[in-house]
Amino acid sequence: MKTTSLAQNAIACALLLFMFQISSCDDEKEEMETVEPTVVIPKIKFDNLSERFFFIGDVLAISGENFLHENYETELYVNGQLINISPDSNQLIEIPITDEMASGNNTFHVKIDNVQSDKMSFFLMSSGWQKINAFESNDIVKSYVFESSNKIFSLVDIASGPNSYYAILKALHADSLGYEEASVDSPGANLSDLKMYDDQVGVAAGGMIGYFTTNSFQSSTTFGDLESYAFETQVSFISTNSCIIADAFGGHVFTEDMGSTSFVTQPFNYLRKARENGASYYGTIKSRGQSTSGDYYALGYFYRNQPHRNLVIKSSNGYDAWEMVDSTTLHTNMSSAKFIDEDLILSKTAEDVLVSSEDLGVTWSDMKTEVESFFIKSKSEWYIVSNDNLLFTNDSGSTWSVELELPKDSEVNHIHFSESKTILSGNAGLLYIKHD
């Protein structure tokens, strides 16, 4: 009896153990079935930035991979601060540039859960006038800036002496660190002038030699007359494929095929007459311009005999067939005159008074005193430098407003305008840019 009971207990224990093992296996199976798979977040990659230099109102476009994930939100950070912007797609992010961002260098990155992208940099140029530190303390003769590009082209005097001059072409390119010097093939030596038509087409001049570029001065075509005498050469006109170079005595070089061929005219005999033992000089041209009627004008004065007299000539093409308009009016204010149109010339007297003429220099009207220099944006929009301030008028001088406080004793040489940008160049490295 006792033996039977022990056998029955053993069988019962074995059954219980078997049932426990089955139950444990079922629990483990159930537990394994409920474990969620590990979520993999791929690496966030940047392929390209639309630009690395921006003005307020621009849009920073970033292309790349893995900007979205089905399980997690994408977070965008500018300068370490989370911004309320979502990716446009898995391959594109667009970030509007606003005045809430810092002027100067900025960084951004993308984060999805615990995966973070590399940091990328961009530069923000604030609206209004901003100083550019470039070209050390060299005198900047003139600079150009355009809507379609963030490159700046400048004519820079690199001579070290106070009474010396040796100008070459230089360029600045905007990137994530701001404006930095860019590679450019400066043509010729000791350039006298530079004029850009746009960010690709431009002409530099040295004597009666021109250098025509169609690729931002990565290369240029040389044209003109190496043997001709020239003084105070200027690029008086430029278009997409033609230009005119003129000197102070009426010599001209014209090309209409981007410098492949050129037409040269000699100085006017009534300004410079060559002789066996040199030359005689009778007068000079100081300003040139094209009127709204299409005619080209040149303004200057005769200085050989007393009293000095005005010189006003015009041409239908700007380089040949010049006709005399005035050679009898007593010389007043033509030394610094700037031609705007047939009914408007601005100039500055020896007493620093801004004056205007509506009859090609016959009579003059006072406009403003204490004017050191002046620059023309349009027929009614002018800039002047006065007492270390840059002043602006948009109503032909009726009212003036302060645009920019300049460093003490600043000398401004040139101001160039595009639709929304203005660049100011001057001596001792003076360079300012404004974005409206």
Side-chain angles (χ1 to χ4, degrees):
M1 239 358 233
K2 189 174 183 178
T3 303
T4 303
S5 177
L6 290 173
Q8 288 176 343
N9 289 339
I11 293 172
C13 288
L15 288 172
L16 288 172
L17 179 60
F18 177 72
M19 292 175 65
F20 175 76
Q21 290 175 337
I22 292 176
S23 175
S24 297
C25 290
D26 290 341
D27 291 342
E28 291 178 5
K29 182 177 181 182
E30 183 177 346
E31 187 176 324
M32 291 177 61
E33 289 175 350
T34 58
V35 171
E36 295 183 0
T38 302
V39 178
V40 177
I41 303 175
K43 183 178 180 180
I44 304 166
K45 298 180 181 180
F46 295 139
D47 293 334
N48 187 49
L49 274 67
S50 55
E51 290 285 346
R52 289 183 178 268
F53 184 95
F54 298 92
F55 292 96
I56 293 172
D58 292 340
V59 175
L60 167 60
I62 309 118
S63 60
E65 300 176 13
N66 307 320
F67 294 159
L68 295 173
H69 195 279
E70 59 182 1
N71 297 93
Y72 299 100
E73 294 292 328
T74 301
E75 297 177 341
L76 305 182
Y77 292 83
V78 174
N79 298 326
Q81 300 295 317
L82 179 66
I83 60 175
N84 187 27
I85 295 176
S86 299
D88 297 72
S89 69
N90 196 42
Q91 291 84 34
L92 178 65
I93 297 173
E94 292 183 319
I95 303 177
I97 304 299
T98 69
D99 55 8
E100 296 178 355
M101 299 177 184
S103 177
N105 186 260
N106 291 259
T107 63
F108 76 90
H109 70 273
V110 179
K111 185 178 180 182
I112 301 177
D113 192 36
N114 61 348
V115 175
Q116 179 174 301
S117 70
D118 295 332
K119 289 185 177 180
M120 301 292 283
S121 297
F122 66 93
F123 193 93
L124 170 58
M125 180 67 75
S126 298
S127 299
W129 288 99
Q130 304 292 327
K131 190 176 189 305
I132 300 175
N133 295 310
F135 310 135
E136 299 177 342
S137 60
N138 291 317
D139 294 344
I140 306 172
V141 181
K142 56 172 47 180
S143 299
Y144 290 88
V145 66
F146 298 97
E147 294 295 307
S148 57
S149 169
N150 284 325
K151 183 174 281 191
I152 296 171
F153 300 89
S154 297
L155 185 62
V156 182
D157 179 10
I158 60 172
S160 56
N163 297 316
S164 57
Y165 177 90
Y166 193 94
I168 63 173
L169 173 66
K170 291 199 171 190
L172 298 174
H173 177 71
D175 61 16
S176 61
L177 297 177
Y179 283 105
E180 295 190 329
E181 196 159 339
S183 173
V184 65
D185 180 22
S186 181
N190 200 10
L191 300 173
S192 57
D193 197 17
L194 168 71
K195 189 181 287 290
M196 299 296 298
Y197 178 77
D198 55 29
D199 67 317
Q200 297 291 317
V201 176
V203 172
M208 296 303 280
I209 298 295
Y211 307 90
F212 201 112
T213 185
T214 58
N215 59 6
S216 303
F217 279 105
Q218 296 305 303
S219 62
S220 60
T221 300
T222 303
F223 66 98
D225 184 2
L226 184 62
E227 301 300 324
S228 293
Y229 176 85
F231 181 70
E232 293 184 352
T233 309
Q234 297 178 348
V235 182
S236 62
F237 171 80
I238 188 172
S239 68
T240 54
N241 56 10
S242 64
C243 84
I244 301 171
I245 297 174
D247 89 325
F249 303 114
H252 292 80
V253 177
F254 169 68
T255 181
E256 58 183 354
D257 52 14
M258 298 174 286
S260 295
T261 60
S262 59
F263 174 77
V264 179
T265 64
Q266 298 303 312
F268 303 135
N269 283 332
Y270 53 78
L271 293 181
R272 177 184 183 273
K273 183 174 291 186
R275 302 184 184 281
E276 289 185 4
N277 57 347
S280 297
Y281 301 93
Y282 303 95
T284 182
I285 296 171
K286 304 301 290 187
S287 174
R288 299 171 179 82
Q290 187 176 16
S291 68
T292 53
S293 67
D295 287 331
Y296 295 82
Y297 280 79
L299 312 175
Y301 59 97
F302 292 98
Y303 53 69
R304 180 78 173 187
N305 300 312
Q306 295 288 350
H308 297 171
R309 298 184 181 278
N310 285 357
L311 167 65
V312 180
I313 55 178
K314 73 174 182 178
S315 166
S316 60
N317 59 25
Y319 63 89
D320 196 14
W322 291 91
E323 61 181 84
M324 188 67 67
V325 176
D326 183 12
S327 62
T328 60
T329 301
L330 292 180
H331 167 48
T332 50
N333 309 316
M334 283 302 196
S335 298
S336 57
K338 293 183 181 180
F339 179 89
I340 301 173
D341 209 339
E342 291 169 324
D343 61 351
L344 182 60
I345 299 171
L346 290 184
S347 188
K348 184 176 77 73
T349 69
E351 295 75 30
D352 290 340
V353 177
L354 182 69
V355 293
S356 66
S357 174
E358 297 179 350
D359 52 14
L360 293 174
V362 177
T363 61
W364 297 87
S365 301
D366 291 355
M367 302 296 294
K368 190 167 179 58
T369 59
E370 297 183 302
V371 175
E372 298 162 26
S373 55
F374 65 97
F375 306 91
I376 312 302
K377 182 177 182 180
S378 70
K379 197 168 185 177
S380 61
E381 297 173 296
W382 317 330
Y383 285 90
I384 64 170
V385 176
S386 177
N387 298 317
D388 293 326
N389 285 309
L390 181 69
L391 306 181
F392 175 70
T393 179
N394 59 6
D395 53 15
S396 301
S398 297
T399 59
W400 297 88
S401 60
V402 177
E403 272 272 319
L404 175 66
E405 293 183 8
L406 294 164
K408 183 176 175 58
D409 298 328
S410 294
E411 292 185 43
V412 179
N413 296 323
H414 186 260
I415 302 180
H416 179 250
F417 319 91
S418 68
E419 184 177 342
S420 68
K421 301 175 187 177
T422 305
I423 190 161
L424 175 152
S425 307
N427 287 354
L430 189 70
L431 190 62
Y432 282 85
I433 190 169
K434 178 188 177 185
H435 186 271
D436 296 324

